[in-house]
Amino acid sequence: MIVPMAACCVLAVILAWEIHDSNATVALIEQSDRRIALATRIELLTVDEETGLRGYQTTSDLRFLAPYNQAQGKMQDAIGELRSIATGATPRLDDFVTQHEAWRKGFAEPLVAIIQAGGKTNDIEINLTGKTEMDRMRSDLNEIVQISERTRGQRIEEWHSQVHELLIVLGTVTLAVGILIALYMRNRLSSVSGAFRRALDHEKQRAEELYLSEQNLRTTLISIGDGVITCGVDGCVLMMNPIAEELTGWKIAEAFKRPLAEVFHIVNETTRELVENPVDKVLRLNGVVGMANHTVLIRRNNSEIAIDDSGAPIRSESGEITGIVMVFRDVSLERRTRAALLANEKLAVAGRLAATIAHEIHNPLDSVANLLYLLQQNPGSDDARHFLELAQSELDRVTHISRAMLSLYRESRAPVPIHLKETLEEILLLMDGRFHALNISVSAELTPDVVVEGFPAEIRQVFTNLIANAAEAAGKGGSINIRLSPQKPVSDAAGKRSEDGALVEINDNGPGISPEVGDRLFQPFFTTKGERGTGLGLWISQGIVRKHGGMIELINHPNGQSGATARVFLATKPVLDPGGD
């Protein structure tokens, strides 16, 4: 591009120079026209002076002197302007000014004075003198006009010559530039032709690489253990791997260009309502999306399988969505495994609590047996009534413990209001024997009337695990503090409001959580209790809390203080799924 641009710049400079000269000549022509116009104007003003003076001479009426008087100022301005541009006619203009001054002083003003004095002004000699001077002035003005016209004619001829030269130069330079550009473009076209051939070879190589890449991609898709479906932005199926064909019951040849909702028919397992089409959800959210829990796929033969899936947009280089890819898998076995693990953990918790309850019930039953023995030995003593009251108190305690045990594992099919203060107090009552055996001091700061919705048995299981873990961490002679407080919604810096809910904090004064343990706390089957633990408690507790729209975290106390805190947040009105994990 540099060579054509440079040639055009040279041509532009030459044209600009020639146009500048032409414009200068035109300006001089306009200057000559202005001199002619000024000379003509001065001549007209001279005529006005003479006419006004002759009218006054004839009538002696001062009104006839108005053109004479008005012409004086205008003539001075015109003479001054003409003097500034009358380069070749300056001597004649000086003669005119001298003659005009002589006419005014020697003829016009004396004539006005004679008339005003009442004298006679019809003397032929005086009038001839005035006429002679006026003729000389007109002659000077005519000479100025002639000089200006000759100059104007010369400059017009000069302008025509410049235009002719401009056309010749323009044609010559244009021809030279055209030849130069033609030669240059021929060279460039040769280079472009070579580059085009090289580009074709490169594109051919890229096409071969793309074909190999596509074959590798197809092999990879076939090898993937999950089902993969790709769709266009119109929601029609474009590709399926064999796993997707097996899970849906559709072959790609049959499903090609069919709407996704027809091939990938998904509903909620519980409500049986249609789940939002993944293509529509990806387009609406403009990002990667996942499906809700308990989504089932209705296969082509009307059988059902539980699936877990996600969708993601396929974007062009400009960022525009050109398609959607979905990945899904059969989670039926995973669900059964998780249910088995949950049942296993419940049995482990039940076993630990059974031992605790047996110990708790054994003590009051021993007391009742001793009191009955004393009554048998002294049935009519004065202490018999007191012995009966003590026995009744111990039996009430056993009843309370048994009821708490029943409520701990009473299942609920739908979310119900849970009074967290009562729940925590029941758990502490059941574990009182363990605390007493370990000499652990327990303090509780439980705000009343803190209610959340959920499944009571699962919530009790979570806090039973966490309090038991805190007791084991505190060890003999340790201490545990449990705090329950309501949490009001607050707004962050972005204006997003948090949920209304409850916060439970379980603090112990044990050794705390080491870094290598902290990274694996919520992993399944990881335990620090050896044979006494299953490694499922915290993992299942985390799943339950998340199901209840909350969060759980374990952190060390700040500022180097010993001990750790288990912090659990539960939403007041979460969106719950009775079968969720």
Side-chain angles (χ1 to χ4, degrees):
M1 295 298 294
I2 295 177
V3 173
M5 290 176 63
C8 291
C9 289
V10 171
L11 178 60
V13 169
I14 295 173
L15 289 176
W17 179 264
E18 293 293 337
I19 291 173
H20 176 269
D21 288 348
S22 298
N23 288 337
T25 304
V26 170
L28 292 175
I29 293 172
E30 292 175 348
Q31 190 180 65
S32 298
D33 291 338
R34 182 60 180 165
R35 284 201 298 270
I36 294 172
L38 288 172
T40 303
R41 184 180 179 189
I42 293 172
E43 185 175 4
L44 292 176
L45 291 172
T46 303
V47 172
D48 289 345
E49 284 184 319
E50 184 180 17
T51 302
L53 183 62
R54 292 302 182 185
Y56 180 66
Q57 181 181 7
T58 304
T59 63
S60 299
D61 189 344
L62 289 175
R63 288 179 293 181
F64 283 92
L65 278 180
Y68 171 81
N69 294 325
Q70 293 172 359
Q72 295 181 22
K74 296 178 181 179
M75 184 176 292
Q76 294 301 321
D77 294 338
I79 291 173
E81 185 177 355
L82 181 60
R83 188 182 298 280
S84 64
I85 60 175
T87 53
T90 301
R92 290 297 180 186
L93 181 60
D94 292 339
D95 289 344
F96 170 78
V97 171
T98 302
Q99 290 293 335
H100 181 267
E101 187 67 21
W103 179 79
R104 287 181 59 84
K105 298 294 186 181
F107 175 73
E109 291 180 0
L111 186 64
V112 171
I114 292 172
I115 296 171
Q116 289 176 347
K120 299 294 185 181
T121 58
N122 54 2
D123 185 56
I124 295 176
E125 292 298 329
I126 295 175
N127 288 296
L128 286 175
T129 300
K131 178 179 181 305
T132 301
E133 292 175 353
M134 183 61 66
D135 291 340
R136 290 176 181 173
M137 287 190 289
R138 288 195 180 94
S139 175
D140 291 336
L141 290 174
N142 289 333
E143 188 69 24
I144 292 173
V145 170
Q146 292 173 2
I147 293 172
S148 299
E149 288 178 347
R150 286 196 299 271
T151 303
R152 180 176 180 276
Q154 293 172 358
R155 288 172 177 171
I156 290 175
E157 291 179 0
E158 182 180 353
W159 178 76
H160 284 298
S161 175
Q162 288 175 342
V163 171
H164 182 69
E165 292 176 359
L166 176 61
L167 293 175
I168 294 174
V169 171
L170 179 60
T172 303
V173 174
T174 301
L175 180 61
V177 170
I179 294 173
L180 178 63
I181 292 177
L183 294 174
Y184 178 75
M185 291 305 297
R186 182 175 181 276
N187 178 265
R188 290 297 88 199
L189 286 174
S190 176
S191 300
V192 169
S193 177
F196 181 69
R197 286 193 298 271
R198 290 191 296 273
L200 285 178
D201 295 338
H202 179 68
E203 288 300 321
K204 182 179 179 181
Q205 180 181 357
R206 286 189 61 186
E208 293 176 355
E209 294 174 353
L210 183 60
Y211 175 77
L212 294 176
S213 176
E214 184 178 354
Q215 293 303 313
N216 291 333
L217 178 60
R218 291 184 179 275
T219 304
T220 302
L221 287 176
I222 292 174
S223 303
I224 290 177
D226 293 344
V228 179
I229 300 177
T230 60
C231 301
V233 291
D234 58 353
C236 293
V237 175
L238 298 178
M239 188 186 70
M240 298 171 64
N241 70 344
I243 300 297
E245 292 180 344
E246 178 183 350
L247 293 178
T248 61
W250 288 81
K251 297 296 183 181
I252 181 60
E254 300 169 325
F256 186 70
K257 287 297 184 179
R258 286 181 178 268
L260 178 66
E262 183 179 345
V263 177
F264 191 68
H265 184 48
I266 50 178
V267 298
N268 184 278
E269 183 178 16
T270 305
T271 64
R272 311 307 294 179
E273 294 180 354
L274 287 176
V275 176
E276 182 180 7
N277 189 310
V279 173
D280 297 336
K281 193 171 184 180
V282 168
L283 294 176
R284 176 169 58 85
L285 299 179
N286 194 27
V288 179
V289 300
M291 296 296 105
N293 288 335
H294 300 281
T295 299
V296 296
L297 171 65
I298 301 178
R299 307 174 69 193
R300 192 176 186 183
N301 60 4
N302 290 326
S303 61
E304 298 181 1
I305 56 172
I307 63 167
D308 181 18
D309 63 350
S310 63
I314 303 173
R315 301 183 184 275
S316 63
E317 292 184 359
S318 62
E320 182 181 358
I321 296 179
T322 58
I324 293 88
V325 60
M326 288 188 313
V327 181
F328 60 100
R329 58 193 176 91
D330 185 355
V331 295
S332 301
L333 178 60
E334 180 181 337
R335 280 195 183 182
R336 291 193 293 270
T337 303
R338 186 172 299 178
L341 292 175
L342 180 60
N344 183 45
E345 173 61 14
K346 286 184 176 182
L347 289 174
V349 173
R352 291 195 294 269
L353 285 177
T356 301
I357 293 169
H359 180 271
E360 289 295 311
I361 293 177
H362 180 74
N363 289 335
L365 288 179
D366 281 346
S367 299
V368 171
N370 292 331
L371 290 171
L372 290 175
Y373 174 77
L374 292 175
L375 285 172
Q376 289 174 355
Q377 297 298 321
N378 301 291
S381 66
D382 295 335
D383 294 330
R385 180 179 179 83
H386 178 63
F387 290 156
L388 288 174
E389 290 177 352
L390 289 177
Q392 183 64 46
S393 176
E394 293 299 323
L395 288 174
D396 289 342
R397 182 181 174 196
V398 171
T399 302
H400 195 176
I401 291 173
S402 64
R403 286 178 178 174
M405 182 64 184
L406 288 174
S407 65
L408 178 63
Y409 283 96
R410 185 181 295 118
E411 294 293 343
S412 174
R413 297 184 60 84
V416 296
I418 303 173
H419 293 266
L420 292 180
K421 180 176 184 296
E422 297 176 5
T423 300
L424 293 171
E425 286 176 342
E426 290 175 356
I427 295 172
L428 292 176
L429 174 64
L430 292 174
M431 302 184 69
D432 183 66
R434 182 185 298 186
F435 297 149
H436 183 71
L438 294 174
N439 193 25
I440 294 176
S441 62
V442 179
S443 61
E445 305 170 24
L446 307 178
T447 303
D449 300 326
V450 179
V451 181
V452 299
E453 290 186 357
F455 300 98
E458 294 183 354
I459 295 298
R460 288 189 180 95
Q461 181 181 352
V462 170
F463 290 122
T464 299
N465 275 327
L466 295 178
I467 294 174
N469 288 344
E472 293 180 2
K476 291 187 177 182
S479 64
I480 298 175
N481 174 258
I482 302 173
R483 287 197 297 268
L484 167 64
S485 59
Q487 294 291 298
K488 297 299 181 183
V490 296
S491 299
D492 58 14
K496 183 178 180 180
R497 287 176 63 82
S498 63
E499 290 188 80
D500 187 7
L503 179 66
V504 179
E505 295 178 304
I506 303 170
N507 302 282
D508 65 71
N509 64 344
I513 305 169
S514 62
E516 58 272 13
V517 171
D519 294 336
R520 303 178 62 190
L521 277 176
F522 295 100
Q523 294 180 5
F525 304 109
F526 172 74
T527 179
T528 59
K529 302 175 184 178
E531 295 297 328
R532 296 181 296 108
T534 64
L536 298 173
L538 286 178
W539 176 63
I540 292 177
S541 296
Q542 184 185 52
I544 292 172
V545 171
R546 287 179 175 173
K547 168 185 170 181
H548 283 74
M551 59 175 293
I552 180 173
E553 60 178 345
L554 274 70
I555 57 175
N556 287 320
H557 290 168
N559 303 324
Q561 300 178 13
S562 63
T565 297
R567 183 179 289 120
V568 179
F569 170 80
L570 296 172
T572 301
K573 289 185 178 295
V575 179
L576 289 170
D577 186 352
D581 328 328

